[in-house]
């Protein structure tokens, strides 16, 4: 078992996760998009199985070098709603605070894959954080701040504490939410110091856990989540619906039940975004609707996530359960954003 993070094609070869024949196929992908696997993730992968659902999420694939016409660098339109560095203000009552653009692992389907990693924007400077806090402070309609990136829990407790103390001084912010994979990919990092930092603001703290397959919910991951929940931090889940990984009602049911058993409320099931080089992960919306419909009546209502699409161009999320997305021309659907405006998906290629 490897004891260090794997960050290159050669690292994957040395850990036995790819063979020599695959090295030359993987290397150009690893040069194009960031690679990182923690020891925890590497230990979960079954390298002899080319369809291993953990390996498919984290080991580069030559299919990533193929980009379709509708894919785009900023698939959900973050930049269109970024008034100051690090802030995305798409919805009236909440903002994203992208404090860091580094992750402990890099998902091969990441919608911010052009912005995260060693070649990305790194970490917000103290000056940028001050500007971001000033922006939040000047807008009393902002009720929730969502820490994302990158993965905010790669930050040290000291840096997290600085952020939480900054938010604690803004009275109209009531909720602070963290979007993270850390409890499942680096569970030992969820320790007393990190938990104390997450609670330091005096606000209500939520942690949204990203996991896509029930095998990710190891004993260590469950214990990490228990430490958070026992400390009074509420948890919700988010999962991406991925071809060949979890596009099976039985697999999704097992994952959602695992969340609920661990006091994590299933929240979002994301249709994959139109990120460059990710078409091999995407199902059609109709296929996704059938899978989600198959959960109804077969698992508890506690286990039902909301199936959503982030409308390309920055128009926000649309619920696309059965009948929520209307088929138009061949391969196109009409979806409505939260303002009641209609959009075509996929959008026409410019």
């Amino acid at each position: 078992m490897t004891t260090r993070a794997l960050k290159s094609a050669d690292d994957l070869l040395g850990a036995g996760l790819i063979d020599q024949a695959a090295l030359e196929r993987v290397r150009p992908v690893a040069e194009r998009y960031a690679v990182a696997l923690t020891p925890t993730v590497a230990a979960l992968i079954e390298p002899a199985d080319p369809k291993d659902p953990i390996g498919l999420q984290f080991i580069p694939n030559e299919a990533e070098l193929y980009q379709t016409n509708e894919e785009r660098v900023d698939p959900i339109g973050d930049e269109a709603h970024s008034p100051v560095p690090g802030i995305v203000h798409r919805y009236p009552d909440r903002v994203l605070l992208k404090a860091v653009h580094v992750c402990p692992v890099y998902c091969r389907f990441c919608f911010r894959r052009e912005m995260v990693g060693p070649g990305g924007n790194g970490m917000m400077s103290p000056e940028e954080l001050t500007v971001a806090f000033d922006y939040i402070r000047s807008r009393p309609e902002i009720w929730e701040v969502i820490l994302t990136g990158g993965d905010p829990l790669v930050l040290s407790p000291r840096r997290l504490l600085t952020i939480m103390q900054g938010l604690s001084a803004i009275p109209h912010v009531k909720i602070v939410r963290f979007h993270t994979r850390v409890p499942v990919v680096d569970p030992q990092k969820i320790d007393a110091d990190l938990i104390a930092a997450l609670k330091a603001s005096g606000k209500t703290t939520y942690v949204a856990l990203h996991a896509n397959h029930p095998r990710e919910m190891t004993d260590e991951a469950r214990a990490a989540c228990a430490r958070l929940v026992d400390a009074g931090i509420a948890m919700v889940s988010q999962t991406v619906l991925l071809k060949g990984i979890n596009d099976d009602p039985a697999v999704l049911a097992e994952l959602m039940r695992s969340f609920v058993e661990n006091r994590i409320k299933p929240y979002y099931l994301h249709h994959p975004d139109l990120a460059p080089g990710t078409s091999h992960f995407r199902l059609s919306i109709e296929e996704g609707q059938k899978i989600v419909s198959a959960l109804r009546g077969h698992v508890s209502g506690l286990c039902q996530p909301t199936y959503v699409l982030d409308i390309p161009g920055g128009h926000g999320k649309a619920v696309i359960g059965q009948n929520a997305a209307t088929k138009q021309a061949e391969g196109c659907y009409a979806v409505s954003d939260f303002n009641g405006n209609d959009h075509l998906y996929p959008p026409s290629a410019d």
Side-chain angles (χ1 to χ4, degrees), residues 7-9 12 26-36 58-68 71-73 106-119 274-278 280:
K7 297 187 176 182
S8 69
L12 297 175
V26 166
R27 184 171 278 137
V29 184
E31 291 171 353
R32 174 71 180 85
Y33 298 113
V35 174
F58 300 108
I59 296 177
N61 186 307
E62 58 192 317
E64 295 174 51
L65 298 178
Y66 171 73
Q67 184 169 339
T68 64
E71 291 175 345
R72 49 187 67 187
V73 169
Y106 292 108
C107 305
R108 309 320 306 166
F109 47 86
C110 178
F111 68 98
R112 291 196 179 115
R113 63 190 329 206
E114 299 280 6
M115 308 168 196
V116 301
L274 296 173
T278 62
H280 54 296

Side-chain angles (χ1 to χ4, degrees), residues 67-97:
Q67 184 169 339
T68 64
N69 289 334
E70 68 267 18
E71 291 175 345
R72 49 187 67 187
V73 169
D74 183 14
I76 68 169
D78 277 355
E79 289 302 315
H81 296 279
S82 185
V84 299
I87 291 284
V88 178
H89 195 176
R90 181 178 288 109
Y91 301 101
D93 73 336
R94 55 206 182 273
V95 296
L96 302 182
L97 177 58

Side-chain angles (χ1 to χ4, degrees), residues 96-287:
L96 302 182
L97 177 58
K98 297 194 287 187
V100 63
H101 286 79
V102 176
C103 296
V105 294
Y106 292 108
C107 305
R108 309 320 306 166
F109 47 86
C110 178
F111 68 98
R112 291 196 179 115
R113 63 190 329 206
E114 299 280 6
M115 308 168 196
V116 301
N121 298 330
M123 185 164 50
M124 290 181 70
S125 67
E127 293 76 19
E128 287 173 329
L129 272 175
T130 296
V131 172
F133 288 148
D134 287 345
Y135 178 88
I136 296 168
R137 186 178 298 107
S138 68
R139 286 157 178 81
E141 70 273 18
I142 297 174
W143 173 80
E144 180 180 25
V145 174
I146 302 167
L147 274 291
T148 181
D151 191 319
L153 295 196
V154 302
L155 295 172
S156 68
R158 179 180 62 83
R159 291 188 181 277
L160 288 170
L161 183 62
T162 297
I163 292 170
M164 295 301 272
Q165 288 174 337
L167 294 174
S168 73
I170 305 176
H172 54 264
V173 173
K174 304 297 183 183
I175 307 294
V176 182
R177 190 194 329 167
F178 291 83
H179 283 192
T180 183
R181 263 192 176 280
V182 166
V184 295
V185 304
D186 195 10
Q188 65 272 16
K189 196 171 191 303
I190 307 299
D191 60 15
D193 289 342
L194 184 142
I195 291 171
L198 296 185
K199 297 186 67 178
S201 66
K203 314 294 185 181
T204 298
T205 302
Y206 277 77
V207 167
L209 175 69
H210 177 182
N212 299 315
H213 194 274
R215 274 179 42 212
E216 295 175 57
M217 296 298 291
T218 62
D219 289 345
E220 292 79 10
R222 291 168 186 254
C225 293
R227 291 193 290 275
L228 290 164
V229 177
D230 288 344
I233 295 174
M235 293 191 71
V236 297
S237 75
Q238 53 181 359
T239 294
V240 184
L241 185 59
L242 298 164
K243 184 183 293 186
I245 293 169
N246 57 20
D247 56 337
D248 179 331
V251 172
L252 276 184
E254 184 180 353
L255 177 62
M256 297 303 147
R257 285 177 177 137
S258 178
F259 289 146
V260 172
E261 290 164 8
N262 287 279
R263 297 174 288 173
I264 302 167
K265 177 65 183 82
Y267 184 35
Y268 280 146
L269 178 65
H270 294 272
H271 191 76
D273 295 309
L274 296 173
T278 62
S279 61
H280 54 296
F281 287 112
R282 286 198 296 276
L283 299 82
S284 70
I285 286 179
E286 285 178 314
E287 289 172 313

